[in-house]
Amino acid sequence: MSRDPRFDILFQPMRIGPKTARNRFYQVPHCTGMGRWWPTPSAVSRGTKAEGGWAVVCTEQCDIHPTGNVLRQIRLWDERDIPPLARTVEQIHAHGSLAGIELVHNGYKMANFESREAPFAPSARPVYGVFPVTARAMDKSDIAAVRRWHRQAALNARKAGFDIIYVYAGHDLALPMHFLARRHNQRGDEYGGSLENRARLLRELLEDTHDAVGDTCAVALRIAVDELLGPDGITAAGEGREVVEMLAEMPDLWDVNVSAWENDSLTARFGDEGFQERYTSFVKKLTTKPVVGVGRYTSPDRMADLVKKGVLDFIGAARPSIADPFLPKKIEEGRPEDIRECIGCNVCVSGNNLSHPMRCTQNPTMSEEWRRGWHPERIAPRARDEKILVVGAGPAGLEAARALGQRGYRVDLAESSRELGGRVARECRLPGLTSWGRVRDWRIGQLAKLPNVQIFRESAMTADDVLAAECQVVAIATGSCWRADGVGRHHSFPLPGLDRLPVLTPDDIMDGKRPTGPVVIYDDDHYYMGGVIAEKLRRDGLDVSLVTPESMASAFTQFNLEQTRIQAHLIELGVTILVSTDLAALHPGEVELACAYTGRTRRVAAGSVVMVTTQTPADALYHELAARPRALAAAGIRKLVRIGDALAPGIIAAAVWSGHRLARELDAAETDAVGFRRENVELAEL
């Protein structure tokens, strides 16, 4: 297929200082959760994006000195840190892309638990978070040292082979931004007071970096032009604009966004594609240098329009490049319908914040490119001429059928209902989760291209049906259901009084059942479901109380940057939130609540209870078949497995990964060996 000429503008080469990018697709700096602990998997992951057509591929934050160390990301303190970074550059260069590195000193944002160095900031203040550490006020020698460290890191980055060296002033994470912001900078010298003074360090770092490496490397500036704090912060209409005017021609490239990270990486639940344009679109009008910006863009029409209108020169992406590393190639090859569109759930972000290799709901190969040898587009052909039955067309079943079909296996996909998608089809109708339907839609679209895959809707399977299906492998992907008895993390046994009040589950709500108000939602799951159900019922006009043993609503969403928005949103809707509170018992017309710490009880009125605690695998069909080994053998079934929630209920990303793993490892011999490659840190001499 040939490229749509409307998108030709996206494939024009673009100059960035002394370098040329082969097209306008730019993977902006983003974390992977692998950092310096897993340099090879991280390098191969970046290289895969270069292979997929991203003309520029950047690292995450790279800290430059022990006084501002980022524990879970990369560093460039001295030449000993060059080799793992050079590996990343090699992987990126192998596919003709430019490699960028984002140098950073995090100032007061880091407590420096690894290095035990005293953190510092423009003015003395407690470090970020709840740590009992104070960042000292920097003196002139500290400022000179930061400039020296940054210059040396730039030189070492060039030695590693990087093409683009970043000066980082974004996300309220870096010292230059702390100097810019009045709330962080109360200095009375030439680095404080006026905006010109507060921008002095940023200007000096740009000058130093240009002087050190600007003859051979491009110098980029990443900056938040609006902090979404109104008059308490930098705004696009105020000092954000003034800084761009002041430094307009100094960097070789402007990488612009909003701050803080939870605003820049806004989830789809709270922001649409391109929401940052209202804050960043002015930048291109003030500089002749190329501008890159982000907005969770997945539509090539939108991308081309941004360039044609002079809003951006490069289409920046973090999350869309994770969901589909081959997004540029698919547009270039005239098949944009094959793009795995980011759903904006921020499961990827949670990986970094939990210090593990990141996952992606749409792309199960993320972080597995080197560890398991999984390529996002290529998969080994089938090893046997077999037919496979997949029972259940939820996220695990759809992905298993798709990947098995891609391998060339004959696949029958049986779904008991008319609608495909399982939990995804149901959950995407809940408030704010519409984009999650992309998980289903992309896989259905890909399955339609595979003549070796047959889909049977409204086909509930019994054990006898499975045995008569003439298949050699059977994958049970029948999902899970929410428990209604209160058993979960906090309670190991059913709650007393379940027969004294109407009790519903998220499944009931998604089936259209309306509870009697006032409604008490007991959230012992702590991800999105409790908050989403609370929002839905409140919008339906019911009085709603959200009760949780945790100290905040939807506690896990701290890790995907949603928590503060979720809690504020529920409060604004009029949902009563009772934190650190357990549901102890149910009584006629009321529930008994207990303090999670003291056990002290009280009662509140309730017309019904919605239990959001835990899910139980819907695995009865699997166990019935597993109990009949002779019948399985007689039917020619050599392998019976469970995948997704039918194996172990979890997040949608886990279900997709489980289905993909089945397809990848179907022919692998069973072994007790670790199923993926590990990178062991070399022991130092004693």
Side-chain angles (χ1 to χ4, degrees), residues 125-191:
R125 61 165 298 156
V127 299
Y128 178 75
V130 297
F131 309 116
V133 178
T134 299
R136 62 179 176 83
M138 297 170 68
D139 58 27
K140 297 290 182 59
S141 67
D142 295 321
I143 294 173
V146 168
R147 292 179 61 184
R148 187 171 65 250
W149 300 332
H150 196 282
R151 179 187 178 90
Q152 187 58 54
L155 290 168
N156 285 335
R158 181 168 66 178
K159 287 182 182 179
F162 285 98
D163 306 288
I164 302 172
I165 313 296
Y166 266 81
V167 176
Y168 180 42
H171 299 118
D172 194 31
L173 290 173
L175 265 177
M177 195 67 173
H178 301 159
F179 272 84
L180 280 174
R182 289 184 185 275
R183 67 186 184 282
H184 300 317
N185 183 348
Q186 287 94 44
R187 301 175 69 93
D189 61 7
E190 67 267 35
Y191 287 93

Coordinates of all heavy atoms in Angstrom, one line a residue, residues 125-191:
R125 N 13.9 24.8 51.4 CA 12.5 24.3 51.6 C 12.5 22.8 51.8 O 13.5 22.1 51.4 CB 11.7 24.7 50.3 CG 12.3 24.0 49.0 CD 11.2 24.1 47.9 NE 10.0 23.4 48.3 CZ 8.8 23.6 47.8 NH1 8.6 24.6 46.9 NH2 7.8 22.9 48.2
P126 N 11.5 22.3 52.3 CA 11.4 20.8 52.5 C 11.4 20.1 51.1 O 10.9 20.7 50.1 CB 10.1 20.6 53.2 CG 9.7 21.9 53.8 CD 10.3 22.9 52.9
V127 N 12.0 19.0 51.0 CA 12.0 18.3 49.7 C 10.6 17.8 49.4 O 9.7 17.8 50.3 CB 13.0 17.1 49.7 CG1 14.4 17.5 50.0 CG2 12.5 16.0 50.7
Y128 N 10.4 17.4 48.1 CA 9.1 17.0 47.7 C 8.7 15.7 48.4 O 9.5 14.8 48.6 CB 9.2 16.8 46.1 CG 7.9 16.2 45.5 CD1 6.9 17.1 45.3 CD2 7.8 14.9 45.1 CE1 5.7 16.6 44.7 CE2 6.7 14.4 44.5 CZ 5.6 15.3 44.3 OH 4.5 14.8 43.7
G129 N 7.4 15.6 48.6 CA 6.8 14.4 49.2 C 6.7 14.6 50.7 O 6.5 15.7 51.3
V130 N 6.8 13.5 51.5 CA 6.6 13.5 52.9 C 7.9 13.1 53.6 O 7.9 12.8 54.8 CB 5.5 12.4 53.3 CG1 4.2 12.8 52.7 CG2 5.9 11.0 52.9
F131 N 9.0 13.2 53.0 CA 10.3 12.8 53.6 C 10.8 13.9 54.5 O 10.8 15.1 54.2 CB 11.3 12.6 52.5 CG 10.9 11.6 51.4 CD1 10.7 12.0 50.1 CD2 10.5 10.3 51.7 CE1 10.3 11.2 49.1 CE2 10.1 9.4 50.8 CZ 9.9 9.9 49.5
P132 N 11.3 13.6 55.7 CA 11.8 14.6 56.6 C 13.2 15.1 56.3 O 14.2 14.9 57.0 CB 11.8 13.8 58.0 CG 12.0 12.4 57.6 CD 11.3 12.2 56.2
V133 N 13.3 15.7 55.1 CA 14.5 16.2 54.6 C 14.3 17.6 54.1 O 13.3 17.9 53.5 CB 15.0 15.3 53.4 CG1 16.3 15.9 52.8 CG2 15.2 13.9 53.9
T134 N 15.3 18.5 54.4 CA 15.2 19.9 53.9 C 16.3 20.1 52.9 O 17.4 19.8 53.1 CB 15.3 20.9 55.1 OG1 14.3 20.7 56.0 CG2 15.3 22.3 54.6
A135 N 15.9 20.8 51.8 CA 16.8 21.2 50.7 C 17.4 22.5 51.1 O 16.7 23.5 51.4 CB 16.2 21.2 49.4
R136 N 18.7 22.6 51.2 CA 19.4 23.9 51.6 C 19.4 24.9 50.4 O 19.2 24.5 49.2 CB 20.8 23.6 52.0 CG 21.7 23.0 50.9 CD 23.1 22.8 51.5 NE 24.0 22.2 50.5 CZ 24.6 22.9 49.5 NH1 24.4 24.2 49.3 NH2 25.4 22.2 48.6
A137 N 19.5 26.1 50.8 CA 19.5 27.2 49.7 C 20.9 27.2 49.1 O 22.0 27.1 49.7 CB 19.3 28.5 50.4
M138 N 20.9 27.2 47.7 CA 22.1 27.2 47.0 C 22.9 28.6 47.1 O 22.2 29.6 47.1 CB 21.8 26.9 45.5 CG 21.2 25.6 45.2 SD 20.6 25.4 43.5 CE 22.1 25.4 42.6
D139 N 24.2 28.5 47.2 CA 25.0 29.7 47.1 C 25.6 29.8 45.7 O 25.4 28.9 44.8 CB 26.0 29.8 48.2 CG 27.0 28.6 48.2 OD1 27.2 28.0 47.1 OD2 27.5 28.2 49.2
K140 N 26.4 30.8 45.5 CA 27.0 31.0 44.1 C 27.9 29.8 43.7 O 27.9 29.4 42.5 CB 27.8 32.3 44.1 CG 27.0 33.5 44.3 CD 26.0 33.8 43.2 CE 25.3 35.1 43.5 NZ 26.1 36.3 43.7
S141 N 28.6 29.2 44.7 CA 29.4 28.1 44.3 C 28.6 26.9 43.9 O 29.0 26.1 43.0 CB 30.3 27.7 45.5 OG 29.6 27.2 46.6
D142 N 27.4 26.7 44.5 CA 26.5 25.6 44.0 C 26.1 25.8 42.6 O 26.0 24.9 41.8 CB 25.3 25.5 45.0 CG 25.7 25.1 46.4 OD1 26.6 24.3 46.6 OD2 25.1 25.7 47.3
I143 N 25.7 27.1 42.3 CA 25.2 27.4 40.9 C 26.4 27.1 39.9 O 26.1 26.5 38.9 CB 24.7 28.8 40.9 CG1 23.5 29.0 41.7 CG2 24.4 29.2 39.4 CD1 23.0 30.4 41.9
A144 N 27.6 27.6 40.3 CA 28.7 27.3 39.4 C 29.0 25.8 39.2 O 29.3 25.4 38.1 CB 29.9 28.0 40.0
A145 N 28.8 25.1 40.3 CA 29.0 23.6 40.2 C 28.0 23.0 39.3 O 28.3 22.1 38.5 CB 28.9 23.0 41.6
V146 N 26.7 23.4 39.4 CA 25.7 22.8 38.6 C 26.0 23.1 37.1 O 25.9 22.2 36.3 CB 24.3 23.4 38.9 CG1 23.2 23.0 37.9 CG2 23.8 22.9 40.3
R147 N 26.4 24.3 36.8 CA 26.8 24.6 35.4 C 28.0 23.7 35.0 O 28.0 23.2 33.9 CB 27.2 26.1 35.3 CG 26.0 27.0 35.5 CD 26.5 28.5 35.4 NE 27.1 28.7 34.1 CZ 27.6 29.9 33.7 NH1 27.7 30.9 34.6 NH2 28.1 30.1 32.5
R148 N 28.9 23.5 35.9 CA 30.1 22.6 35.5 C 29.7 21.2 35.3 O 30.1 20.5 34.3 CB 31.1 22.8 36.6 CG 32.4 22.1 36.4 CD 33.5 22.5 37.4 NE 33.1 21.9 38.8 CZ 32.7 22.7 39.8 NH1 32.6 24.0 39.6 NH2 32.4 22.2 41.0
W149 N 28.8 20.7 36.2 CA 28.4 19.3 36.1 C 27.5 19.1 34.8 O 27.7 18.1 34.1 CB 27.5 18.9 37.3 CG 28.2 19.0 38.6 CD1 29.5 18.9 38.8 CD2 27.6 19.3 39.8 NE1 29.8 19.1 40.2 CE2 28.6 19.3 40.8 CE3 26.2 19.5 40.2 CZ2 28.3 19.5 42.2 CZ3 26.0 19.7 41.6 CH2 27.0 19.7 42.5
H150 N 26.7 20.1 34.5 CA 25.9 20.0 33.3 C 26.7 20.0 32.0 O 26.5 19.2 31.1 CB 24.9 21.1 33.2 CG 23.7 20.9 32.3 ND1 23.8 21.1 30.9 CD2 22.4 20.5 32.5 CE1 22.7 20.8 30.3 NE2 21.8 20.5 31.3
R151 N 27.7 20.9 32.0 CA 28.6 20.9 30.8 C 29.4 19.6 30.6 O 29.5 19.1 29.5 CB 29.6 22.1 31.0 CG 30.6 22.2 29.9 CD 31.7 23.3 30.2 NE 32.7 23.4 29.1 CZ 32.6 24.2 28.1 NH1 31.5 25.0 28.0 NH2 33.5 24.2 27.1
Q152 N 29.9 19.1 31.7 CA 30.6 17.8 31.6 C 29.7 16.7 31.2 O 30.1 15.8 30.4 CB 31.3 17.5 33.0 CG 32.2 16.3 32.9 CD 33.3 16.4 31.8 OE1 34.1 17.4 31.9 NE2 33.4 15.5 30.9
A153 N 28.5 16.7 31.7 CA 27.5 15.6 31.3 C 27.2 15.7 29.8 O 27.0 14.7 29.1 CB 26.2 15.7 32.1
A154 N 27.1 17.0 29.3 CA 26.9 17.2 27.9 C 28.0 16.6 27.1 O 27.8 16.0 26.0 CB 26.7 18.6 27.6
L155 N 29.3 16.9 27.5 CA 30.4 16.3 26.8 C 30.4 14.8 26.8 O 30.7 14.1 25.8 CB 31.7 16.9 27.4 CG 32.0 18.4 27.2 CD1 33.1 18.9 28.1 CD2 32.3 18.6 25.8
N156 N 30.1 14.2 28.0 CA 30.0 12.8 28.1 C 28.9 12.2 27.3 O 29.0 11.1 26.7 CB 29.9 12.3 29.5 CG 31.2 12.5 30.3 OD1 32.3 12.5 29.7 ND2 31.1 12.7 31.6
A157 N 27.8 12.9 27.2 CA 26.7 12.5 26.3 C 27.1 12.4 24.9 O 26.8 11.5 24.1 CB 25.5 13.4 26.5
R158 N 27.9 13.4 24.5 CA 28.4 13.4 23.1 C 29.4 12.2 22.9 O 29.3 11.6 21.8 CB 29.1 14.7 22.8 CG 29.7 14.7 21.3 CD 30.1 16.1 20.9 NE 31.3 16.6 21.6 CZ 31.9 17.8 21.4 NH1 31.4 18.6 20.5 NH2 32.9 18.1 22.1
K159 N 30.2 11.9 23.9 CA 31.1 10.7 23.8 C 30.2 9.5 23.6 O 30.6 8.5 22.9 CB 31.9 10.6 25.0 CG 33.1 11.7 25.1 CD 33.9 11.4 26.3 CE 35.0 12.5 26.5 NZ 35.8 12.3 27.7
A160 N 29.1 9.4 24.3 CA 28.2 8.2 24.2 C 27.6 8.2 22.8 O 27.0 7.1 22.4 CB 27.1 8.3 25.2
G161 N 27.6 9.3 22.0 CA 27.1 9.3 20.7 C 25.8 10.0 20.5 O 25.2 10.0 19.4
F162 N 25.2 10.7 21.5 CA 24.0 11.3 21.4 C 24.0 12.5 20.4 O 25.1 13.2 20.3 CB 23.5 11.8 22.8 CG 22.9 10.7 23.6 CD1 23.7 10.1 24.6 CD2 21.6 10.2 23.4 CE1 23.3 9.1 25.4 CE2 21.2 9.2 24.2 CZ 22.0 8.6 25.2
D163 N 22.9 12.7 19.7 CA 22.8 13.8 18.7 C 22.2 15.0 19.3 O 22.4 16.1 18.8 CB 22.0 13.3 17.5 CG 22.5 12.0 17.0 OD1 23.6 12.0 16.3 OD2 21.9 10.9 17.2
I164 N 21.3 14.8 20.2 CA 20.5 16.0 20.8 C 20.7 15.9 22.3 O 20.4 14.9 22.9 CB 19.0 15.8 20.4 CG1 18.8 15.8 18.9 CG2 18.2 17.0 21.0 CD1 17.4 15.5 18.5
I165 N 21.1 17.1 22.8 CA 21.4 17.2 24.3 C 20.4 18.2 24.8 O 20.3 19.3 24.4 CB 22.8 17.7 24.5 CG1 23.9 17.0 23.7 CG2 23.1 17.6 26.0 CD1 24.0 15.5 24.0
Y166 N 19.6 17.7 25.8 CA 18.6 18.5 26.4 C 19.0 19.4 27.6 O 19.8 18.9 28.4 CB 17.4 17.6 26.9 CG 16.3 17.4 25.9 CD1 16.4 16.5 24.9 CD2 15.1 18.1 26.0 CE1 15.4 16.2 24.0 CE2 14.1 17.9 25.2 CZ 14.2 17.0 24.2 OH 13.2 16.7 23.3
V167 N 18.6 20.6 27.6 CA 18.5 21.4 28.9 C 17.0 21.2 29.3 O 16.1 21.6 28.6 CB 18.9 22.8 28.7 CG1 18.7 23.6 30.0 CG2 20.3 22.9 28.2
Y168 N 16.9 20.8 30.5 CA 15.5 20.4 31.0 C 15.0 21.3 32.0 O 15.6 21.5 33.1 CB 15.6 18.9 31.6 CG 14.3 18.3 32.1 CD1 13.1 18.5 31.4 CD2 14.3 17.6 33.2 CE1 11.9 17.9 31.8 CE2 13.1 17.0 33.7 CZ 12.0 17.2 33.0 OH 10.8 16.6 33.5
A169 N 13.8 21.9 31.7 CA 13.2 22.8 32.7 C 11.7 22.5 32.6 O 10.9 23.5 32.4 CB 13.4 24.3 32.3
G170 N 11.3 21.3 32.8 CA 9.9 20.9 32.7 C 9.4 20.2 33.9 O 10.2 19.7 34.8
H171 N 8.1 20.1 34.0 CA 7.4 19.2 34.9 C 7.6 19.5 36.4 O 7.4 18.7 37.3 CB 7.8 17.7 34.7 CG 7.5 17.2 33.4 ND1 8.4 16.8 32.5 CD2 6.3 17.0 32.7 CE1 7.8 16.4 31.3 NE2 6.5 16.5 31.5
D172 N 8.2 20.7 36.7 CA 8.5 21.1 38.0 C 9.4 20.1 38.7 O 9.4 19.9 39.9 CB 7.2 21.2 38.9 CG 7.4 22.0 40.2 OD1 8.3 22.9 40.2 OD2 6.7 21.7 41.2
L173 N 10.3 19.5 37.9 CA 11.2 18.5 38.4 C 12.6 19.0 38.3 O 13.5 18.3 38.9 CB 11.1 17.2 37.5 CG 9.8 16.4 37.7 CD1 9.7 15.3 36.7 CD2 9.7 15.9 39.1
A174 N 13.0 20.0 37.6 CA 14.4 20.4 37.4 C 14.7 21.7 37.9 O 13.9 22.6 38.0 CB 14.6 20.3 35.9
L175 N 16.0 21.9 38.3 CA 16.5 23.1 38.9 C 16.2 24.4 38.1 O 15.8 25.4 38.6 CB 18.0 23.0 39.1 CG 18.4 22.6 40.5 CD1 19.9 22.4 40.6 CD2 17.9 23.5 41.6
P176 N 16.4 24.4 36.8 CA 16.1 25.6 36.0 C 14.6 26.0 36.2 O 14.3 27.2 36.2 CB 16.4 25.2 34.6 CG 17.4 24.1 34.7 CD 17.0 23.3 35.9
M177 N 13.7 25.0 36.3 CA 12.3 25.4 36.5 C 12.1 25.9 37.9 O 11.3 26.8 38.1 CB 11.4 24.2 36.2 CG 9.9 24.5 36.1 SD 9.7 25.4 34.6 CE 7.9 25.5 34.5
H178 N 12.8 25.4 38.9 CA 12.7 25.8 40.2 C 13.2 27.3 40.4 O 12.6 28.1 41.1 CB 13.5 24.9 41.2 CG 13.0 23.5 41.2 ND1 13.8 22.5 41.6 CD2 11.9 22.9 40.7 CE1 13.2 21.3 41.4 NE2 12.0 21.6 40.9
F179 N 14.2 27.6 39.6 CA 14.7 29.0 39.6 C 13.7 29.9 38.9 O 13.5 31.1 39.3 CB 16.0 29.1 38.9 CG 17.2 28.9 39.8 CD1 17.6 27.6 40.1 CD2 17.9 30.0 40.4 CE1 18.7 27.4 40.9 CE2 18.9 29.8 41.2 CZ 19.4 28.5 41.5
L180 N 13.0 29.4 37.9 CA 12.0 30.3 37.2 C 10.8 30.6 38.0 O 10.2 31.7 38.0 CB 11.5 29.5 35.9 CG 12.4 29.6 34.7 CD1 11.9 28.7 33.6 CD2 12.6 31.0 34.2
A181 N 10.4 29.6 38.8 CA 9.1 29.7 39.6 C 9.2 30.6 40.8 O 10.1 30.2 41.7 CB 8.6 28.3 39.9
R182 N 8.4 31.6 41.0 CA 8.5 32.5 42.2 C 8.3 31.7 43.5 O 8.9 32.0 44.5 CB 7.5 33.6 42.1 CG 7.8 34.6 41.0 CD 6.7 35.7 41.0 NE 6.9 36.7 40.0 CZ 7.7 37.7 40.0 NH1 8.4 37.9 41.1 NH2 7.8 38.5 39.0
R183 N 7.4 30.7 43.4 CA 7.1 30.0 44.7 C 8.3 29.2 45.2 O 8.3 28.8 46.4 CB 5.9 29.1 44.5 CG 6.1 27.9 43.5 CD 4.8 27.1 43.3 NE 5.0 26.0 42.5 CZ 5.1 26.0 41.2 NH1 5.1 27.1 40.5 NH2 5.3 24.9 40.5
H184 N 9.2 28.8 44.3 CA 10.4 28.1 44.7 C 11.6 29.0 44.9 O 12.6 28.7 45.6 CB 10.8 27.1 43.6 CG 9.8 26.0 43.4 ND1 9.1 25.4 44.4 CD2 9.4 25.5 42.2 CE1 8.2 24.6 43.8 NE2 8.4 24.6 42.5
N185 N 11.6 30.2 44.3 CA 12.8 31.1 44.2 C 12.4 32.4 44.9 O 11.8 33.3 44.4 CB 13.2 31.3 42.8 CG 14.4 32.2 42.6 OD1 14.9 32.8 43.6 ND2 14.9 32.2 41.4
Q186 N 12.9 32.6 46.2 CA 12.8 33.8 46.9 C 14.2 34.5 47.1 O 14.4 35.2 48.1 CB 12.1 33.6 48.2 CG 10.6 33.4 48.1 CD 10.3 31.9 48.1 OE1 10.8 31.1 48.9 NE2 9.4 31.5 47.2
R187 N 15.1 34.3 46.2 CA 16.4 34.8 46.3 C 16.4 36.4 46.1 O 15.5 36.9 45.4 CB 17.3 34.2 45.3 CG 17.4 32.7 45.4 CD 18.3 32.1 44.2 NE 19.7 32.5 44.3 CZ 20.6 31.8 44.9 NH1 20.3 30.6 45.5 NH2 21.9 32.2 45.0
G188 N 17.4 37.0 46.7 CA 17.6 38.4 46.5 C 18.8 38.9 45.7 O 19.1 40.1 45.6
D189 N 19.4 37.9 45.1 CA 20.6 38.2 44.2 C 20.2 38.2 42.8 O 19.1 38.3 42.4 CB 21.7 37.2 44.5 CG 21.4 35.8 44.2 OD1 20.3 35.5 43.6 OD2 22.2 34.9 44.5
E190 N 21.2 38.1 41.9 CA 21.0 38.2 40.5 C 20.3 37.0 39.9 O 20.0 36.9 38.7 CB 22.3 38.5 39.7 CG 23.3 37.4 39.7 CD 24.3 37.5 40.9 OE1 23.9 38.0 41.9 OE2 25.5 37.2 40.7
Y191 N 20.1 35.9 40.7 CA 19.3 34.8 40.3 C 17.9 34.7 40.8 O 17.2 33.7 40.7 CB 20.1 33.5 40.7 CG 21.3 33.2 39.9 CD1 22.6 33.7 40.4 CD2 21.3 32.5 38.7 CE1 23.7 33.4 39.6 CE2 22.4 32.3 38.0 CZ 23.6 32.7 38.4 OH 24.8 32.5 37.7

